[in-house]
């Protein structure tokens, strides 16, 4: 069960506007009994209610809570089954919670990532070398492959794990709804979207969307991404390598030609949280603005997700001079560069994964899809300020709807984090005006960042016809 206790509501509201961060064992739990974390309030360790059903989840666990839902591109999962939710209409705040089903942090625990049958950035997970207790516990969440020599191999199945997790959460929530307690959040919606479980909770006058993702958690760094560590990066000297490579995940997402029952995707969400600390506020503002423009414009047919845009931003950080990226009043320049960069990636069907550059995340696109979205982006590039203003109006409308629903639904006044306009990452009219000024003063000029995965040693960007 996912719950937020009444007495922790203030702490959670503070978290909503903070940077993404892991929720660790022995830390005050910000989410309720699903975590099985230690609680100083209750003077001891309590296991989660899901864990109590069949003791599958690790008792001592670590959950990564990310600001923004799966639809916002927080993790690299782009599922066709995801239902469309709208801020303001369906929820006020959204989060992604990575829940380790398996926690492989023991250096002595043998692990077999089987990448022979998968596309790059993907893997099967064999439990063949695990102890009999672990295999017995998870056997019903595995696909079984019998070899010619008589040996049996158990592959941890993302679809079966998601099915089990959804059934367990549904049982727990059903029990809670039968015996509601004062101060507990109201469960407004529970849905399974592919391998993602989406829950909307009513907490006071706010509605919170959680996309819960069952994952496999690892310490260390995968060999397939080892070469990335050998390159120079924008975060060198700002954070330590140990912070960047502290761990990775397998998330339940299949490649376009892979086998859904067996294939997981490598995710570096923990590393991305650390890298965000090294990105300038003006570039983050441009990223948020660009995302607000394209998230609906390029949603059908599916081609570009916000995660692609985030990858492009990280590549740009590696290539552009730090002094250029540090300019506080360059948000409009950066936005134009991201739009041009996105156009370049589409036309060339090339967007390398930041951590595994040999993986091209756009190679599956058809020519028709590429050209359709390229034309849409051309219209944005011709008048980016107008598209940004439209996106801002959508945000304002969602905020007004949220406030109206709060007035109707509760007499208790709990400020919405969307209502004060104080989020520095939200696009605002100042950026739109700056964009309009740039376009007016530089007709026909282009400010671009180019992705060249074969050469990450030099910056590649262009202002008009001059390359730097």
């Amino acid at each position: 069960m996912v719950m937020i206790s009444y007495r922790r509501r203030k702490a959670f509201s503070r978290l909503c506007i903070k940077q993404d961060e892991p929720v660790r064992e022995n830390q005050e739990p910000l989410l309720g009994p699903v975590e099985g974390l230690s609680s100083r309030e209750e003077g001891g360790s309590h296991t989660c209610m899901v864990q109590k059903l069949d003791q599958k989840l690790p008792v001592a666990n670590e959950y990564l809570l990310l600001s923004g839902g799966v639809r916002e591109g927080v993790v690299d999962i782009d599922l066709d089954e995801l239902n469309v939710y709208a801020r303001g209409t369906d929820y006020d705040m959204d989060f992604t919670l990575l829940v380790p089903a398996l926690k492989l942090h023991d250096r002595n625990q043998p692990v077999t990532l089987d990448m022979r049958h998968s596309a790059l950035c993907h893997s099967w997970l064999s439990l063949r070398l695990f102890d009999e207790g672990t295999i017995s516990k998870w056997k019903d969440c595995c696909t079984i492959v019998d070899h010619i020599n008589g040996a049996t191999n158990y592959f941890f199945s993302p679809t079966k794990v998601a099915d089990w997790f959804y059934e367990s959460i549904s049982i727990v929530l059903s029990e809670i709804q039968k015996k509601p307690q004062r101060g507990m959040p109201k469960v407004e919606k529970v849905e399974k979207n592919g391998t993602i479980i989406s829950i909307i909770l009513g907490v006071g006058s706010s509605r919170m969307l959680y996309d819960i993702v069952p994952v496999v958690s690892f310490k260390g760094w995968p060999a397939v991404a080892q070469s990335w560590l050998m390159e120079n990066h924008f975060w060198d000297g700002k954070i330590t390598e140990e912070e960047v490579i502290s761990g990775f995940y397998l998330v339940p997402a299949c490649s376009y030609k892979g086998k859904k029952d067996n294939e997981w995707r490598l995710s570096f969400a923990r590393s991305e949280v650390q890298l965000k600390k090294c990105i300038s506020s003006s570039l983050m503002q441009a990223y948020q603005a660009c995302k607000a423009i394209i998230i609906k414009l390029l949603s059908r047919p599916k081609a570009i997700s916000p995660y692609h845009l985030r990858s492009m931003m990280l590549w740009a950080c590696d290539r552009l001079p730090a002094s250029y990226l540090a300019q506080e009043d360059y948000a409009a320049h950066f936005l134009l560069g991201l739009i041009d960069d996105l156009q370049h990636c589409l036309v060339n069907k090339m967007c390398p994964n930041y951590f595994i550059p040999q993986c091209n995340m756009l190679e599956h696109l058809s020519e028709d899809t590429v050209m359709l979205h390229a034309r849409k982006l051309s219209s944005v590039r011709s008048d980016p300020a107008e598209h940004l203003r439209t996106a801002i109006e959508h945000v304002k409308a969602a905020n007004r709807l949220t406030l109206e629903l709060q007035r109707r639904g509760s007499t208790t006044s709990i400020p919405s984090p969307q209502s004060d306009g104080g989020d520095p990452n939200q696009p605002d009219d100042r950026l739109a005006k700056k964009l309009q000024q740039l376009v007016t003063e530089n007709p026909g000029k282009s400010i671009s960042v180019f992705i060249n995965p074969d050469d990450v040693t030099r910056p590649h960007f262009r202002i008009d016809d001059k390359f730097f």
Side-chain angles (χ1 to χ4, degrees):
M1 185 194 71
V2 177
M3 300 179 64
I4 306 167
S5 69
Y6 181 79
R7 60 178 176 262
R8 295 177 186 138
R9 191 181 301 153
K10 289 184 179 179
F12 191 82
S13 297
R14 290 195 298 270
L15 178 70
C16 296
I17 57 175
K18 288 172 62 180
Q19 192 171 16
D20 310 327
E21 59 185 58
V23 181
R24 294 185 173 86
E25 51 197 292
N26 300 322
Q27 178 184 7
E28 178 90 15
L30 296 170
L31 294 172
V34 72
E35 295 173 337
L37 304 177
S38 299
S39 171
R40 291 191 296 270
E41 291 180 2
E42 299 180 12
S45 174
H46 55 238
T47 56
C48 67
M49 297 180 72
V50 172
Q51 160 67 12
K52 287 182 179 179
L53 292 177
D54 50 18
Q55 284 75 51
K56 275 187 165 67
L57 291 180
V59 175
N61 217 346
E62 179 176 293
Y63 298 76
L64 187 64
L65 182 65
L66 303 170
S67 178
V70 166
R71 296 157 188 80
E72 294 290 315
V74 175
V75 288
D76 189 11
I77 298 180
D78 189 18
L79 301 176
D80 294 332
E81 300 93 337
L82 279 174
N83 291 337
V84 177
Y85 295 148
R87 185 182 297 273
T89 304
D90 300 302
Y91 65 91
D92 306 317
M93 294 168 282
D94 55 333
F95 303 92
T96 298
L97 183 64
L98 303 187
V99 179
L102 278 181
K103 181 183 174 185
L104 304 178
H105 290 193
D106 186 352
R107 293 182 180 273
N108 297 319
Q109 171 67 59
V111 178
T112 303
L113 289 179
D114 190 340
M115 299 182 178
R116 296 173 298 172
H117 316 287
S118 305
L120 281 168
C121 284
H122 295 79
S123 179
W124 293 20
L125 176 61
S126 172
L127 301 188
R128 181 173 58 88
L129 300 179
F130 283 61
D131 60 89
E132 288 297 326
T134 300
I135 294 176
S136 176
K137 181 192 298 184
W138 288 107
K139 187 179 295 184
D140 57 342
C141 290
C142 292
T143 59
I144 301 174
V145 177
D146 292 321
H147 294 284
I148 299 176
N149 60 9
T152 299
N153 204 346
Y154 296 91
F155 288 99
F156 205 46
S157 170
T159 54
K160 292 186 176 184
V161 170
D163 289 342
W164 160 78
F165 198 62
Y166 175 68
E167 291 171 4
S168 300
I169 284 183
S170 298
I171 292 171
V172 169
L173 291 178
S174 177
E175 290 299 316
I176 292 299
Q177 287 173 319
K178 291 177 183 177
K179 301 176 182 179
Q181 299 180 26
R182 181 184 177 91
M184 291 300 178
K186 177 184 177 183
V187 181
E188 298 189 358
K189 186 175 293 186
V190 182
E191 290 183 349
K192 182 173 180 290
N193 298 290
T195 53
I196 309 301
I197 294 89
S198 297
I199 298 178
I200 296 180
L201 299 177
V203 183
S205 57
S206 296
R207 297 156 300 161
M208 300 183 182
L209 167 65
Y210 291 94
D211 286 324
I212 304 177
V213 186
V215 301
V216 181
S217 175
F218 295 84
K219 280 287 188 185
W221 199 249
V224 69
Q226 194 67 34
S227 61
W228 177 78
L229 295 176
M230 303 297 107
E231 306 291 344
N232 295 322
H233 297 291
F234 71 98
W235 48 267
D236 291 338
K238 298 177 182 178
I239 53 178
T240 66
E241 186 173 289
E242 287 71 22
E243 290 177 289
V244 175
I245 65 171
S246 60
F248 67 101
Y249 299 99
L250 294 182
V251 297
C254 183
S255 63
Y256 286 87
K257 295 183 179 180
K259 189 174 180 180
K260 288 186 177 181
D261 287 343
N262 285 355
E263 194 170 86
W264 301 78
R265 178 175 293 158
L266 275 73
S267 170
F268 303 93
R270 184 183 298 276
S271 302
E272 290 163 1
V273 169
Q274 298 297 325
L275 297 184
K276 280 176 64 177
K277 300 175 183 177
C278 306
I279 299 176
S280 68
S281 59
S282 53
L283 180 54
M284 282 303 302
Q285 184 185 27
Y287 164 75
Q288 294 290 348
C290 191
K291 184 174 72 171
I293 292 172
I294 72 163
I295 196 166
K296 290 185 178 180
L297 182 70
L298 305 185
S299 62
R300 292 289 183 271
K302 283 193 173 182
I304 295 292
S305 75
Y307 189 82
H308 292 112
L309 185 62
R310 179 187 293 195
S311 299
M312 296 172 197
M313 177 179 65
L314 291 173
W315 278 118
C317 288
D318 268 0
R319 289 176 178 77
L320 295 173
S323 57
Y324 176 74
L325 292 171
Q327 297 294 323
E328 294 183 359
D329 59 346
Y330 271 27
H333 295 73
F334 297 150
L335 176 53
L336 294 176
L338 286 172
I339 294 172
D340 287 341
D341 196 13
L342 189 55
Q343 183 82 292
H344 178 80
C345 290
L346 270 172
V347 171
N348 291 277
K349 290 203 300 185
M350 171 60 73
C351 179
N353 182 282
Y354 182 65
F355 299 94
I356 306 178
Q358 60 269 36
C359 172
N360 176 12
M361 298 187 292
L362 297 182
E363 65 180 354
H364 62 281
L365 295 183
S366 68
E367 293 297 330
D368 290 343
T369 298
V370 164
M371 295 312 299
L372 173 63
H373 287 314
R375 285 194 292 269
K376 290 180 180 179
L377 273 180
S378 293
S379 70
V380 173
R381 190 59 175 82
S382 65
D383 193 355
E386 182 59 33
H387 283 82
L388 183 56
R389 289 193 182 98
T390 300
I392 292 170
E393 288 304 315
H394 288 163
V395 172
K396 290 180 177 178
N399 292 343
R400 288 193 295 268
L401 180 57
T402 292
L403 292 173
E404 179 61 28
L405 290 173
Q406 287 177 347
R407 291 191 198 101
R408 292 179 185 177
S410 175
T411 56
T412 303
S413 177
I414 298 179
S416 166
Q418 306 297 327
S419 62
D420 61 4
D423 187 346
N425 289 332
Q426 289 291 342
D428 58 30
D429 287 314
R430 290 173 298 174
L431 182 54
K433 292 176 182 177
K434 180 64 175 178
L435 273 171
Q436 189 65 59
Q437 179 184 351
L438 279 175
V439 173
T440 302
E441 295 177 353
N442 302 280
K445 289 189 178 182
S446 173
I447 304 171
S448 306
V449 180
F450 287 93
I451 286 180
N452 179 3
D454 297 324
D455 183 5
V456 296
T457 62
R458 297 183 295 112
H460 300 270
F461 67 102
R462 180 188 73 182
I463 298 180
D464 199 13
D465 59 347
K466 295 181 181 179
F467 290 82
F468 298 84

